[in-house]
Amino acid sequence: DYTSDQLVTLASSDTLSGVDKIYYTTDGSVPDNTKTEYTGTAITVDKDMTIKAIAYDKAGNPSAVLEAAYGIAPVISAEASSSVTSTSTTVTWTTDDPATSRVVYDTVSHPVKGDAPNYGYASSTATFDEDPKVLAHSVGISGLTAGTTYYYRTVSRGSPEAVGDEK
């Protein structure tokens, strides 16, 4: 799991006949010599992705299949609180990749994020949008105390989890 995009390079070695070519997939299918040939250019991993690769030696023999799963945290943006009443609100936001929806909140500000799962906040909503995950998030919070200031952070898990700025 990574918090930002990654660049992945592939390499293989063969002490007998030498490596001829490497082929790979990013769609979950099994690689073979009909798939995308790796040319040495780094593969950009900018969302959750599994790379599968296979190498062929100069004698035509295939290697075992390498499988590497990458989790990239979604980017949270456009956070807002709306439909505010004296005891409830709806928090909305977007992510750049499909992800789950959750909000942590408290009557005390937490400018420095604490540890998971609630990052220092006293309360949390349930986790929504697990299957399927979504790009547009909306979570209602009820049972709030009228006349009280609340602080919140949005939480979305693609893989790994991303946490928004305090609002």
Side-chain angles (χ1 to χ4, degrees), residues 13-54:
S13 64
D14 183 300
T15 57
L16 296 176
S17 66
V19 174
D20 184 29
K21 293 180 181 173
I22 300 173
Y23 298 89
Y24 71 97
T25 63
T26 59
D27 63 1
S29 62
V30 177
D32 60 27
N33 59 4
T34 66
K35 302 301 184 191
T36 304
E37 181 180 345
Y38 182 68
T39 60
T41 303
I43 301 165
T44 300
V45 177
D46 57 0
K47 60 184 178 222
D48 290 356
M49 177 183 298
T50 298
I51 297 174
K52 293 183 180 182
I54 191 168

Side-chain angles (χ1 to χ4, degrees), residues 110-126:
H110 298 273
V112 176
K113 184 176 61 173
D115 294 332
N118 285 358
Y119 304 99
Y121 290 75
S123 301
S124 174
T125 66

Side-chain angles (χ1 to χ4, degrees), residues 77-82 89-94 137 139 152 154 167:
S77 61
E79 298 164 279
S81 179
S82 61
T89 188
T90 298
V91 179
T92 59
W93 69 99
T94 60
H137 306 265
V139 174
Y152 69 89
T154 56
K167 304 288 185 197

Side-chain angles (χ1 to χ4, degrees), residues 85-88 107 142-150:
T85 71
S86 61
T87 60
S88 67
T107 57
S142 59
L144 304 176
T145 302
T148 302
T149 300
Y150 284 86

